């Protein structure tokens, strides 16, 4: 990657793009199950140097862990292989290198499968992989029932593979941004001392990692744009770490400061965004519109990374079952109370009641409704236990036996089942020096990845000064979302909500108005939980972290919205006193 490619096929509109000063990196997958034809779209839609794919998430690692239990030769994202059946030839014709974390729990197995596929389809490519993240090995004790234990690696191993001439690099659990920092370091010749440049690449990688979330997908202000089929994003990276986020010409969606801000806030915490290569200071990020569908990222400062690496642990937490009772028409609360008392009485008479019982009544009904569905509310029962019988036969019997002896109109959304295992995610931390991060080059040579020159313990950034308060004036009670956008997500058992506004005047209101106390009032679920507020003035944004909202993580499904994807939209729908000048 140190030299520009000399050819990318015969098509003049796909001429070589890479120069010593610019590298064009695209994303073609934001999760395992993303748009299947995105790889082809990105390879044929315009010039590229690198195309990346992010296939891993906390829940994905659990799914792959269960796959590996059944078949030790599995453990990687099979979709990636099917995409390569066509994409590999296209990439080779155009001189585009492919970097993906689809290796999951078995990057060596996926690398071998890619090599076999290349031989079968007649495409001469050099395949390398990165390993060392899997810590489910002797010498590490993670506790009972742990299926996966994977350290989040940086981009140094990817860079070594590309420097050795790899055309395809597959990894296991690396940070999402590592798919960009690795290629950028290889191309520009950065080393572990180039902290600002690496931090810029981390920010660009974070914007790209979730695919079309950067181009109008899941965007609060979607109504102003055509987002029926948003194109996937790409970044034009420069040697100093600055970048321009854009997309292929003619594709759907939009790239503007709002879409990029939304993705920057997604699943982040404080102003220090820590990673294995560098800690990026999100409070230094500056965004400017660089033309239609072009947003420039500049000013990013980097600090030495922490001395530890995060390790994601997944284990089977027990068994789970769910029944949703439909309550129609009048006396909804009384009907809910009756069936709840009946079910809990049945549990009391059973040999063993489930260890965890949770009821939620969703008042989806409305008065004088003109359809039966809109006249109905949903009462959701969730049970969990270490014994499958406690959530299976006992729960099914308790519900079924009420069919003719409970509230009028009794029915459920689906027949009760026997329950299913659920997962639990935990984060642990290990000394980075204990993790054998290595690149396995195309010729099979195993090379240790470079390590940071120095480290720095992670500390919160002191709150910056707030902007001048907006002058007093008339206000109106209205939804916050008329002024502010939001994006929310999960990190293990925690949830984050990033909130931003589009004007300096709105920022002068938001920074003072949306305090932790008001946040808790607007979202009563958070009232008894620790909530942290971080201030990012350059982005006109606040980022709230709600600790413990998601219990034991997405796989435990402890909450109606287990990944907190809509938590921000709930916040936007809540009413506050907003200055009329902003409305």
């Amino acid at each position: 990657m140190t030299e520009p490619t000399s050819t990318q096929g015969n098509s003049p509109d796909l001429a070589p793009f890479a120069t010593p000063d610019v590298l064009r990196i695209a994303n073609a997958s934001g999760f395992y199950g993303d748009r299947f034809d995105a790889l082809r779209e990105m390879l044929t839609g315009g010039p590229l140097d690198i195309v990346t794919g992010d296939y891993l998430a906390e829940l994905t690692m659990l799914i792959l862990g269960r796959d590996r239990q059944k078949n030790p030769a599995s453990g990687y994202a099979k979709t990636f292989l099917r995409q390569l059946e066509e994409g590999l030839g296209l990439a080779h014709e155009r001189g585009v290198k492919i970097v993906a974390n689809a290796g999951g729990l078995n990057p060596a197995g996926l690398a071998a499968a890619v090599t076999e596929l290349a031989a079968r389809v007649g495409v001469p490519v050099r395949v390398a992989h990165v390993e060392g993240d899997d810590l489910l090995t002797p010498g590490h004790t993670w506790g009972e029932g742990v299926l996966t234990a994977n350290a989040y690696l940086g981009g140094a191993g990817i860079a070594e593979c590309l420097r050795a001439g790899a055309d395809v690099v597959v990894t296991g659990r690396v940070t999402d941004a590592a798919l960009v920092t690795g290629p950028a370091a290889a191309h520009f010749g950065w080393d572990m001392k180039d902290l600002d440049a690496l931090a810029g690449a981390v920010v660009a990688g974070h914007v790209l990692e979730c695919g079309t979330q950067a181009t109008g997908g899941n965007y609060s202000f979607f109504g102003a744009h055509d987002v029926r089929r948003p194109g996937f994003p790409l970044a034009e990276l420069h040697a100093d770490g600055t970048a321009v986020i854009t997309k292929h010409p003619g594709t759907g969606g939009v790239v503007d400061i709002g879409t990029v801000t939304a993705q920057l806030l997604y699943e982040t915490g404080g102003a220090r965004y820590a990673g294995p290569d560098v800690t990026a200071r999100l409070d230094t990020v500056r965004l400017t519109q660089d033309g239609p569908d072009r947003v420039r990222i500049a000013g990013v400062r980097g600090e030495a990374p922490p001395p530890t690496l995060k390790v994601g642990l997944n284990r089977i937490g027990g068994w789970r079952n769910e029944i949703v009772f439909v309550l129609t028409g009048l006396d909804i609360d009384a009907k809910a109370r009756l069936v709840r008392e009946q079910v809990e009485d049945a549990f009391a008479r059973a040999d063993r009641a489930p260890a965890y019982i949770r009821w939620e009544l969703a008042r989806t009904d409305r008065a004088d409704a003109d359809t039966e569905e809109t006249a109905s509310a949903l009462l959701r029962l969730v049970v969990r236990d270490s014994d499958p019988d406690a959530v299976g036969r006992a729960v099914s019997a308790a519900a079924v036996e009420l069919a003719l002896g409970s509230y009028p109109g009794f029915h459920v959304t689906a027949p009760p089942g026997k329950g299913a295992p659920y997962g639990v995610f935990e984060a642990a931390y290990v000394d980075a020096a204990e993790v054998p991060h290595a690149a396995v080059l195309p010729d099979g040579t195993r090379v240790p990845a470079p390590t940071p020159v120095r480290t720095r313990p992670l500390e919160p950034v002191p709150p910056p000064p707030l902007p001048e308060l907006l002058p007093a004036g008339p206000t109106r009670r209205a939804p916050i979302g008329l002024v502010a956008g939001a994006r929310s997500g999960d990190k293990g058992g925690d949830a984050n909500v990033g909130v931003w506004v589009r004007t300096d005047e709105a920022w002068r209101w938001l920074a003072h108005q949306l305090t932790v106390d008001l946040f808790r009032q607007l979202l009563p679920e958070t009232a008894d939980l620790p909530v942290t507020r971080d201030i990012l003035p350059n982005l006109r944004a606040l980022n709230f972290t709600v600790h413990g909202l998601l219990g034991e993580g997405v796989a435990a499904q402890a909450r109606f919205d287990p990944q907190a994807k809509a938590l921000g939209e709930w916040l936007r729908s809540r009413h506050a006193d907003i200055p009329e000048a902003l409305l």
Side-chain angles (χ1 to χ4, degrees):
M1 287 299 299
T2 55
E3 295 293 330
T5 52
S6 59
T7 179
Q8 292 193 1
N10 300 319
S11 176
D13 62 334
L14 294 172
F17 188 91
T19 71
D21 296 318
V22 182
L23 182 71
R24 195 170 170 97
I25 303 180
N27 172 284
S29 175
F31 67 99
Y32 191 9
D34 208 345
R35 203 155 83 209
F36 184 83
D37 55 3
L39 182 61
R40 176 181 174 79
E41 290 175 11
M42 297 311 289
L43 289 170
T44 59
L48 292 177
D49 303 303
I50 305 284
V51 63
T52 66
D54 180 9
Y55 292 79
L56 301 184
E58 293 162 359
L59 181 59
T60 311
M61 298 300 279
L62 176 66
I63 293 169
L64 294 177
R66 295 185 64 188
D67 287 348
R68 186 171 63 174
Q69 274 190 319
K70 300 171 186 174
N71 177 9
S74 64
Y76 54 77
K78 297 183 178 70
T79 302
F80 176 68
L81 272 179
R82 292 195 290 118
Q83 289 172 304
L84 285 189
E85 288 184 6
E86 178 184 38
L88 199 59
L90 291 171
H92 177 66
E93 291 170 7
R94 291 157 173 79
V96 179
K97 296 180 183 288
I98 298 173
V99 180
N101 62 13
L105 303 177
N106 188 6
L110 179 56
V114 172
T115 301
E116 180 183 338
L117 171 66
R120 176 162 54 83
V121 298
V123 179
V125 296
R126 293 159 294 185
V127 182
H129 70 276
V130 176
E131 61 185 24
D133 61 297
D134 193 344
L135 301 184
L136 202 63
T137 55
H140 292 94
T141 303
W142 302 113
E144 186 177 354
V146 171
L147 286 180
T148 71
N150 294 82
Y152 288 70
L153 305 179
I158 295 171
E160 290 296 313
C161 293
L162 293 171
R163 289 186 181 114
D167 302 302
V168 179
V169 181
V170 296
T171 78
R173 178 73 277 188
V174 296
T175 65
D176 301 334
L179 301 176
V180 171
T181 61
H187 181 75
F188 295 119
W190 299 339
D191 61 26
M192 303 303 280
K193 298 190 294 294
D194 293 308
L195 296 178
D196 289 348
L198 284 167
V202 163
V203 170
H206 180 57
V207 174
L208 295 187
E209 70 184 54
C210 288
T212 55
Q213 279 197 168
T215 58
N218 301 351
Y219 183 49
S220 291
F221 303 113
F222 68 95
H225 308 285
D226 180 1
V227 293
R228 287 172 295 177
R229 188 177 173 85
F232 276 68
L234 59 93
E236 297 169 4
L237 256 75
H238 295 259
D240 62 356
T242 61
V244 173
I245 305 299
T246 183
K247 61 188 183 71
H248 282 325
T251 55
V254 62
V255 178
D256 64 16
I257 290 176
T259 65
V260 173
T261 298
Q263 178 54 28
L264 273 176
L265 296 173
Y266 182 63
E267 295 182 347
T268 60
R272 285 192 166 104
Y273 186 63
D277 301 312
V278 64
T279 293
R281 289 289 297 262
L282 298 183
D283 55 345
T284 65
V285 175
R286 294 191 179 277
L287 304 179
T288 53
Q289 197 74 38
D290 197 48
D293 290 320
R294 292 176 63 84
V295 172
R296 182 172 295 276
I297 301 173
V300 187
R301 301 298 303 274
E303 299 173 345
T308 58
L309 294 184
K310 178 180 174 180
V311 180
L313 307 176
N314 279 289
R315 60 181 172 84
I316 299 298
W319 292 77
R320 178 187 183 280
N321 206 350
E322 176 178 322
I323 299 174
V324 180
F325 300 89
V326 182
L327 316 173
T328 304
L330 304 177
D331 306 318
I332 296 294
D333 288 329
K335 290 171 178 173
R337 187 166 53 251
L338 171 61
V339 73
R340 179 171 176 167
E341 290 172 351
Q342 289 176 308
V343 169
E344 291 182 348
D345 180 62
F347 286 162
R349 289 182 280 103
D351 293 337
R352 178 181 172 184
Y356 172 93
I357 302 171
R358 177 169 174 165
W359 296 88
E360 289 181 284
L361 176 59
R363 293 300 302 263
T364 52
D365 58 302
R366 61 175 182 255
D368 195 21
D370 57 4
T371 67
E372 183 178 334
E373 186 172 2
T374 55
S376 300
L378 301 176
L379 178 64
R380 181 170 174 249
L381 167 64
V382 176
V383 295
R384 298 206 303 255
D385 200 280
S386 60
D387 181 358
D389 285 342
V391 304
R393 287 195 296 268
V395 173
S396 296
V400 170
E401 290 173 2
L402 294 176
L404 302 180
S406 188
Y407 61 87
F410 179 98
H411 67 287
V412 294
T413 57
K418 62 181 181 180
Y422 71 89
V424 171
F425 176 85
E426 301 171 54
Y429 293 87
V430 298
D431 190 320
E434 297 178 10
V435 178
H437 185 183
V440 181
L441 307 182
D443 64 1
T445 305
R446 190 176 188 277
V447 178
T451 57
V453 176
R454 59 188 178 90
T455 61
R456 172 178 177 165
L458 197 63
E459 297 175 346
V461 174
L466 296 179
E468 183 181 354
L469 186 64
L470 202 64
T475 62
R476 188 194 318 163
R477 196 80 177 162
I480 289 174
L482 296 183
V483 175
R487 178 160 288 162
S488 55
D490 64 306
K491 278 294 183 185
D494 299 339
N496 98 288
V497 184
V499 186
W500 81 96
V501 290
R502 295 174 285 186
T503 67
D504 290 338
E505 291 75 17
W507 173 237
R508 291 169 64 186
W509 170 76
L510 182 76
H512 290 274
Q513 182 76 6
L514 191 53
T515 62
V516 168
D517 286 343
L518 180 59
F519 182 91
R520 285 194 173 113
Q521 291 173 33
L522 295 172
L523 305 184
E525 275 189 78
T526 71
D528 298 324
L529 297 172
V531 177
T532 304
R533 183 179 101 146
D534 289 286
I535 304 168
L536 301 170
N538 287 358
L539 301 177
R540 301 192 195 101
L542 304 173
N543 199 18
F544 294 88
T545 302
V546 185
H547 302 276
L549 179 69
L550 305 180
E552 295 174 302
V554 55
Q557 298 184 52
R559 187 176 175 274
F560 165 68
D561 174 15
Q563 291 180 283
K565 298 294 188 183
L567 191 63
E569 288 301 298
W570 179 25
L571 178 67
R572 293 182 68 240
S573 74
R574 298 307 309 271
H575 288 219
D577 295 321
I578 301 175
E580 288 188 354
L582 300 180
L583 297 171

